[in-house]
Amino acid sequence: MKQKLVIGLTVACLAWSCFLPGTVLAEKKSLKEIQKDKASTKEDIKDVQARLNEKQKSIQAIEKEVDKYDKKIAELNKDLQKNEKQLAAQQKNFQEIVTKLYLKGEMGYMAKLVEANSFNDFLMRFELVRLKLKQDISIINNFKKTKHAYESDIKQLEEAKAKQSPLLEKAEKEVEALNKEYNKYKKEFAALEKEERAAMGYGGGGGILAFPSTPGYVSWNYGQDRGSHIHAGIDIPRPPGTPIYAAEDGVVIRSEPMSGYGWAIDIRHGNGLMTRYAHMYRSSVRVSVGQHVDRGQPIAGVGNNGRSYGARGGYHLHFEVHKNGSTRNPRQYLQ
């Protein structure tokens, strides 16, 4: 009796817990709700991408400004190197004058005047000393002026360049934050796409390759003689825009208009295996050449582009499987 009472209380507690705040069981979302959330997340991604683009533009503008300062500094340094010999000569003369003044002082010049043989000689010597002093002082001043001018210009440019660093650092942090936000929304979008496929009944199938669209009718018409050509794949009729999924992990090697195929996508899966998806419109395509795709990832929408008259004569996916360069019957890979 006691045992039954304990079991009864336990069951009651578990049942009651389902109605407590925070323990309500999540209801399965409808396809319409999932698609609404997906559209909202897609808008969020577009918004973040737009802000990222704007921020990248501002970073490029700052970097352009920094490059401008770097070029000017490089030009000044180049000019400084060109005049290095002249500056070195001026510096040598400067050092010689300083040494002379230090060793001889003013007496060195006075001795030249005292050695005069006549008053005219004295006047001539005095003028020579005056001119020499003037020349020496001019050399010193030119050296100082030239060196100071270069150093001043370089300093101003370095200061202007330094002012850009905080702006660049701030912009880069903002880009980092936006990238995190972008990646978060991308993950949410991928999860919603998975939910959408599940809600639409897409399971991929149990074959070597996943079924490339939603469940339903398939025209297994591989090898059909169509007069002008032998049909190289199968046709999967679906409403316009119905998702087309990658049949396996791989890399997109073609995404372009192709004669007779409308817009075609080829995905290389390794081991000589490749799949082709055709009759799409460019506006529905979601992948590009060189992009890695996962099994079951949406790559486009069903269209009716190109030489499209199979599968009940309307919108359909034309799907091919190639092995080592030759077509194979997709049925043996999908079932």
Side-chain angles (χ1 to χ4, degrees):
M1 179 69 181
K2 198 174 187 179
Q3 189 177 2
K4 286 181 179 179
L5 183 61
V6 171
I7 293 169
L9 285 169
T10 304
V11 172
C13 287
L14 287 170
W16 178 252
S17 68
C18 293
F19 298 97
L20 292 175
T23 60
V24 178
L25 296 175
E27 292 183 6
K28 192 175 181 180
K29 287 192 289 186
S30 67
L31 177 60
K32 191 174 180 181
E33 288 173 323
I34 292 168
Q35 288 175 336
K36 185 180 177 182
D37 289 345
K38 184 181 163 189
S40 175
T41 304
K42 191 174 183 179
E43 286 303 311
D44 289 334
I45 290 171
K46 282 172 68 178
D47 174 62
V48 174
Q49 186 66 64
R51 284 186 284 148
L52 258 175
N53 291 342
E54 284 302 311
K55 194 53 63 179
Q56 290 288 6
K57 284 179 185 176
S58 68
I59 285 177
Q60 286 171 5
I62 295 168
E63 288 177 339
K64 191 176 180 181
E65 196 72 12
V66 170
D67 287 343
K68 185 175 75 176
Y69 290 129
D70 281 338
K71 283 178 183 177
K72 285 184 178 179
I73 290 168
E75 285 171 9
L76 283 173
N77 281 323
K78 193 176 180 180
D79 288 342
L80 198 58
Q81 287 172 0
K82 280 182 181 178
N83 292 287
E84 205 169 33
K85 288 183 179 179
Q86 181 186 346
L87 286 169
Q90 288 178 342
Q91 189 172 13
K92 186 180 178 182
N93 286 333
F94 171 70
Q95 288 169 343
E96 286 175 356
I97 292 164
V98 170
T99 303
K100 190 189 296 180
L101 287 172
Y102 176 75
L103 293 174
K104 297 182 179 180
E106 294 180 0
M107 295 305 296
Y109 291 106
M110 189 60 71
K112 294 286 183 185
L113 296 175
V114 171
E115 290 173 0
N117 297 320
S118 65
F119 184 67
N120 285 336
D121 186 25
F122 174 82
L123 289 176
M124 190 169 64
R125 285 173 180 258
F126 178 81
E127 183 62 17
L128 288 172
V129 168
R130 187 184 71 79
L131 291 172
K132 184 71 174 74
L133 281 169
K134 187 177 179 181
Q135 183 185 11
D136 290 345
I137 291 168
S138 176
I139 289 170
I140 294 168
N141 289 337
N142 283 339
F143 171 72
K144 288 180 178 178
K145 187 177 178 182
T146 306
K147 194 168 185 293
H148 177 73
Y150 281 117
E151 287 174 348
S152 178
D153 287 346
I154 291 171
K155 185 181 178 183
Q156 285 178 17
L157 289 169
E158 290 286 4
E159 286 173 353
K161 179 184 170 184
K163 288 178 183 177
Q164 302 298 316
S165 295
L167 298 175
L168 188 61
E169 188 178 342
K170 183 185 175 186
E172 285 174 344
K173 283 181 179 178
E174 287 174 357
V175 165
E176 187 180 350
L178 284 169
N179 274 322
K180 285 181 182 177
E181 190 177 354
Y182 178 79
N183 290 331
K184 185 193 81 169
Y185 284 132
K186 287 291 282 184
K187 283 181 182 178
E188 287 179 12
F189 191 78
L192 286 165
E193 282 191 325
K194 192 175 180 180
E195 284 184 50
E196 182 184 38
R197 291 197 296 271
M200 294 176 77
Y202 175 76
I208 297 170
L209 297 175
F211 192 71
S213 191
T214 55
Y217 174 80
V218 178
S219 179
W220 302 103
N221 51 4
Y222 172 78
Q224 185 182 66
D225 187 349
R226 297 202 169 166
S228 61
H229 66 284
I230 300 297
H231 196 236
I234 60 172
D235 293 325
I236 305 169
R238 295 292 183 272
T242 299
I244 296 171
Y245 305 112
E248 185 53 89
D249 296 352
V251 176
V252 178
I253 58 173
R254 178 200 297 272
S255 181
E256 62 185 0
M258 192 174 172
S259 179
Y261 284 87
W263 196 278
I265 294 174
D266 289 354
I267 301 176
R268 185 174 59 225
H269 306 290
N271 296 321
L273 195 64
M274 185 201 84
T275 51
R276 175 170 294 164
Y277 314 75
H279 297 319
M280 296 86 71
Y281 294 103
R282 176 66 186 91
S283 58
S284 77
V285 175
R286 301 170 63 177
V287 293
S288 53
V289 173
Q291 180 180 338
H292 175 84
V293 293
D294 298 322
R295 180 183 175 110
Q297 179 178 330
I299 59 170
V302 170
N304 194 29
N305 192 9
R307 190 172 62 231
S308 175
Y309 51 75
R312 300 174 178 174
Y315 282 80
H316 70 282
L317 163 64
H318 173 83
F319 178 70
E320 296 180 10
V321 174
H322 294 240
K323 180 71 175 177
N324 297 325
S326 301
T327 61
R328 295 285 188 271
N329 190 341
R331 191 167 199 161
Q332 67 192 60
Y333 289 87
L334 296 173
Q335 294 184 330

